[in-house]
Amino acid sequence: MTLQELVNQAASLYSNRKAVWFDECNNKPPASYTYATVVKLAMELTAFLQKHCGQQGKCEIGLYCYPGINLPSWILGILQVPAAYSPVDPDAPPMLSTYFMKKSNLQYILVENDKINKFQMSHVGWFYHNSSTIEHIGLTLFQMSWSNADLNSQVDDVQSKYELSKAMGVSQPGYTICPEQTKVKTSEGGYMNVGQKCSLAYVLHTSGTTGIPKIVRVPHKCIVPNIQHLKSIFEITQNDVLFLASPLTFDPSVVELFIALTSGASILVVPNSIKMMPVELAAALFHHHCVTVLQATPTLLRRFGAHIIKSTVLSANTSLRVLALGGEAFPVLNLLKSWKHKDNRTSIFNLYGITEVSSWATCYKIPEEVFSHDFRTEFPVPLGSPLLGTKVEVRDTNGSAVLEGEGQIFIGGEERICFLDDEITVPEGTMRETGDFARVQNAKLIFLGRKDNQIKRHGKRFNVECLQQAAEDLCQVEACAVTWYQQEKLILFVVPKDYIEERETLKELQRHLPAHAVPDELVLIKALPLTSHGKVDKSELNKIYQNHLNSRRRDSELSGAEELWERLQYLWKSVLGLLGDSTEISKDAVFLYSGGDSLKALRFSDEIEMLVGTAVPGLLEVILSHSIEEVYRHVLKILFPNEDQLMNRANVLKRKLSGNSAEDFQGKYVKLESETGLEVASELFSFIALSRGNHFFPINFTRSFMQPNNTVQVGVELLQQRSFLPLMSPSVTKTHTQGYELENRILTDASKANETNCCSVQQIHAECSHVTTAELALCIRWKSNTRKCVDASPLVIVPSKEEVSASVYVGSHSHAIQAIDLDLGEIKWEKNLGDRIESSACISKCGNFIVVGCYDGLVYVLQTSDGEIHWTFVTEDTVKSSAVVDPFNGLVYIGSHDQYVYALDIYKKSCIWKLHCEGGAVFSSPCLSSFPHHLYVATLGGLLLAVNPVMGNKIWKSFLGKPLFSSPHCNEKYVCIGCVDGNLHCHTHSGEKGEKTIYLIQENLQHI
């Protein structure tokens, strides 16, 4: 039997009954079709497809649509061709959709008529348009073209993105990897062939959360037993109303649709937007349509909130007969008991399965007595019995069956077989590895969690779902989720019922969990973020925590040593659980003697480093062996070092450029004047830009050093630079008889004909070195109120024309960027952008514009004269990266959290190229090298890329394994970057990993 045959049987018995309801929840009457109408429309579509599609019986047809009134007719029409349907989500990233369609080798795709523009814009050049449409059914047929080279490149990009995630272990947000999840174990027998005529029902892809998304082709023989058995278990009749809760790309949607349509029951469909609105959804399901059967993930159920679940979903008079929860670990029973009214009669089931053996493998009905108030026995919820035709085994690492104890779950059956990716034949009886672990106890299977949810922390291995279940058991927790952030910190996210005391909650968890399972931090959120499949979105949780960290860093800035002592005492008490104790901590108190242990010492160390915003070498050793006063002194030495001991030329230069009130030096470092009257003049429009780290950036800079009776021409040759933004020192050192070297800039004597009148090398050296003496005091020259935190670094622009004053440009969290007069401290102009600014400004080649990124995802190009917007460029996510300009061609390069780096022509107001950085936001600034002409880009996915700045193609890449927050920097031989793993990584310009790290550090220290 096939799915379409089962539907047609039901339609012949219940032709006048309602098959589908579609309610837009907009105060208008819902639309409905009878079984007769659904079959009639399906036949029309079938005839249309048989006329226009080849390979009938072996064809797979895509369906690009949102759920609506016509959905059952569309799916049935495709199945009757006969063909398999392949749902494509219009809201999915186009690159992922393209990967799925290309990997599935889809030849045809039906597009909902009002989605045609969206489809065409997202998939330009990848299809042939077929002008034949079925207007009253609302579909247009496209034939796909897979010869496009760009398309193949993008498909490869998706593949490499997931391979990168796999190589990273888990640090790429949202992707938790387990090795080859679907290894097969087979028994002797025949084979199933994917090419067998009329065998396939539908084609899906896995979500990608456990590795590279897999294409799953599901035969009718695999899914029909699921439908028939669950109909029997749930006792479905023609009077039932089922809700289409799952997206079409998630295989439980097949169960929801066909349990209803093969029984004469009704299926309720609502717009996707309503599924995100708990109050409206609950009203539609239980007040307007009296839904009787609901299949959902536990997270989707929690989205209703405890109040609606108690008052409506599981109330005493609810319409709901069956609640089937699957796709995630089953909620703890205490939580369900708190939701379920004592007079509620809803039957609750635990479903388990994997998409690779679509759809469900086991089912367990929770006994009613478990929910009674006098039931006190600890009751772990089993996975239940295998469904019709399904075989479930638990095996140890050697592949042997486990009859009692723990092991990994394998699922299969003689005909419960799907074809994965490029599989053509699969042996009958194939057993798929699930990546899930279970304990066999008294012949029952108790779910333990995923393989990739097992972590090793403080030397102990455990499953993070144990922490989640313990937290769900707490009365003050409505919902929660756990992440292993960057494989370093265990974070518990909690949706509280009412007010929750974080400290007390952590104490309660400590009473129920071993020390290695207690979370490092508890973060309160309003709701759990969901994927399109209704599961917890771990990548979004990681973003929430990253924002939480950023906020904490901003809020914890220390004003001085006294505040440090107060904060240390607070952290000491917090980690040791002594916040309720008002007694002052003795300065001689030792952590281990005050109730601490090694695990708490690690947490104390992490909290201190979070507080001060930097790593504190040797801190853990001091905590373990010395008093709190010694801890304080150790941190103080790092945070507020004696400046006399750290004085060097680079620091002096930075202070001078930050402002100096000493009149003797006013203007010398800005106007390049000396005591003997050396000054700069030029007929060209030129300037010097000084940015982060004393980067010195001259443009169009050819000047005359004037004295009363002589002239020296000084020219800056950009082609002689290794990096366009090198670290500069203003000291000039003697090189050859007719040259002066300013670090890696060559200042050439152009007045050889009048050498006797030239200022000497020694004289210039004396003038410049006088500016860099360490006698300067740090004084506030002026200050400008930015109103909120400043994370961006200032940009200083020094024009060559004396009549034009130097300017400082800086943005802040107040959304405003200011242009400030460097000498006077007066605001020249202020411009409010769309969101906060953490990107440092960059000056254009012409000097007329500054370029700055913003949290609203825009790159702003502002006029330097008045701050008016010249152009904005839209990226897909926050822009924290600071731009860099190419003096050769004027292009501006900038990265975004959307994982792309862009080359922008701000004069033509166009994007010249963009490059996907293979997973991981571009947080830091790109680095531009002249020879070779390379652009270096680092990502939070741990990737260092060398890119051709002209063409935008990758030259080489290096995966460093941990996020890269710092910006790359290069000299004539190497490119270096710092990593959160504590290492400075060095590569040659050809991409070879250098063993030069220590040498480079020493070499650079000698230059400072």
Side-chain angles (χ1 to χ4, degrees), residues 177-212:
I177 312 302
C178 75
E180 292 305 315
Q181 178 178 330
T182 54
K183 291 178 183 176
V184 299
K185 305 287 183 180
T186 65
S187 59
E188 298 296 328
Y191 286 80
M192 289 186 65
N193 192 312
V194 72
Q196 184 178 346
K197 190 172 182 179
C198 310
S199 67
L200 296 183
Y202 54 93
V203 182
L204 302 172
H205 63 85
T206 59
S207 63
T209 56
T210 55
I212 299 172

Side-chain angles (χ1 to χ4, degrees), residues 296-307:
T297 61
T299 301
L300 193 62
L301 176 65
R302 290 188 186 99
R303 184 57 82 79
F304 282 113
H307 174 71

Side-chain angles (χ1 to χ4, degrees), residues 471-491:
E472 284 180 346
D473 230 357
L474 303 180
C475 60
Q476 63 268 43
V477 173
E478 181 166 301
C480 65
V482 180
T483 63
W484 181 223
Y485 182 74
Q486 294 186 351
Q487 294 183 291
E488 293 174 352
K489 297 186 78 173
L490 191 62
I491 311 301

Side-chain angles (χ1 to χ4, degrees), residues 461 611 977:
R461 186 172 294 279
L611 171 68
I977 189 164

Side-chain angles (χ1 to χ4, degrees), residues 729-1003:
S729 169
S731 61
V732 181
T733 56
K734 182 175 180 179
T735 55
H736 302 293
T737 56
Q738 296 182 345
Y740 314 103
E741 179 173 337
L742 182 59
E743 290 287 315
N744 61 340
R745 296 217 176 22
I746 307 299
L747 309 181
T748 308
D749 185 349
S751 59
K752 300 172 186 174
N754 193 11
E755 291 184 15
T756 57
N757 293 328
C758 290
C759 57
S760 68
V761 173
Q762 289 84 359
Q763 181 182 354
I764 294 178
H765 184 274
E767 300 296 343
C768 293
S769 62
H770 181 69
V771 178
T772 63
T773 58
E775 300 172 0
L776 300 177
L778 183 63
C779 304
I780 295 177
R781 184 168 185 171
W782 51 258
K783 59 184 178 181
S784 180
N785 184 8
T786 64
R787 297 185 298 283
K788 282 194 176 179
C789 174
V790 177
D791 276 342
S793 298
L795 167 69
V796 180
I797 303 297
V798 185
S800 62
K801 297 179 180 179
E802 288 192 33
E803 60 270 21
V804 181
S805 62
S807 300
V808 180
Y809 301 90
V810 66
S812 77
H813 285 210
S814 69
H815 304 189
I817 183 166
Q818 295 180 346
I820 308 165
D821 187 297
L822 178 62
D823 291 317
L824 304 176
E826 296 175 351
I827 296 177
K828 294 182 174 182
W829 54 257
E830 181 174 283
K831 185 72 175 178
N832 282 317
L833 306 187
D835 207 331
R836 68 188 187 196
I837 304 162
E838 291 188 9
S839 167
S840 301
C842 161
I843 187 75
S844 65
K845 180 181 178 181
C846 65
N848 291 322
F849 306 105
I850 60 167
V851 183
V852 65
C854 184
Y855 256 64
D856 62 4
L858 298 184
V859 179
Y860 289 83
V861 182
L862 309 176
Q863 294 176 178
T864 53
S865 58
D866 55 13
E868 287 305 304
I869 295 175
H870 168 71
W871 179 48
T872 58
F873 175 75
V874 182
T875 76
E876 297 298 321
D877 207 338
T878 297
V879 181
K880 297 185 183 181
S881 172
S882 301
V884 62
V885 69
D886 191 331
F888 285 135
N889 52 33
L891 292 183
V892 172
Y893 307 102
I894 193 165
S896 169
H897 270 51
D898 64 4
Q899 305 185 6
Y900 281 87
V901 63
Y902 298 88
L904 306 179
D905 187 329
I906 64 173
Y907 306 104
K908 294 181 180 178
K909 299 183 179 180
S910 64
C911 178
I912 303 302
W913 54 258
K914 70 175 185 176
L915 177 68
H916 189 263
C917 295
E918 304 186 14
V922 181
F923 174 89
S924 61
S925 305
C927 172
L928 199 57
S929 163
S930 58
F931 291 117
H933 195 197
H934 285 180
L935 180 72
Y936 294 106
V937 183
T939 79
L940 298 188
L943 204 63
L944 177 63
L945 293 162
V947 181
N948 182 328
V950 178
M951 305 300 295
N953 58 295
K954 296 170 199 156
I955 299 169
W956 55 262
K957 62 185 179 182
S958 177
F959 177 63
L960 302 181
K962 289 281 186 178
L964 299 172
F965 286 90
S966 72
S967 300
H969 199 80
C970 62
N971 66 6
E972 69 278 2
K973 293 182 180 179
Y974 304 106
V975 56
C976 296
I977 189 164
C979 181
V980 299
D981 63 4
N983 293 315
L984 179 68
H985 295 269
C986 171
H987 293 72
T988 65
H989 287 286
S990 60
E992 297 173 358
K993 290 187 177 179
E995 301 296 334
K996 307 286 187 181
T997 302
I998 296 175
Y999 167 76
L1000 280 171
I1001 294 173
Q1002 293 171 341
E1003 186 178 50

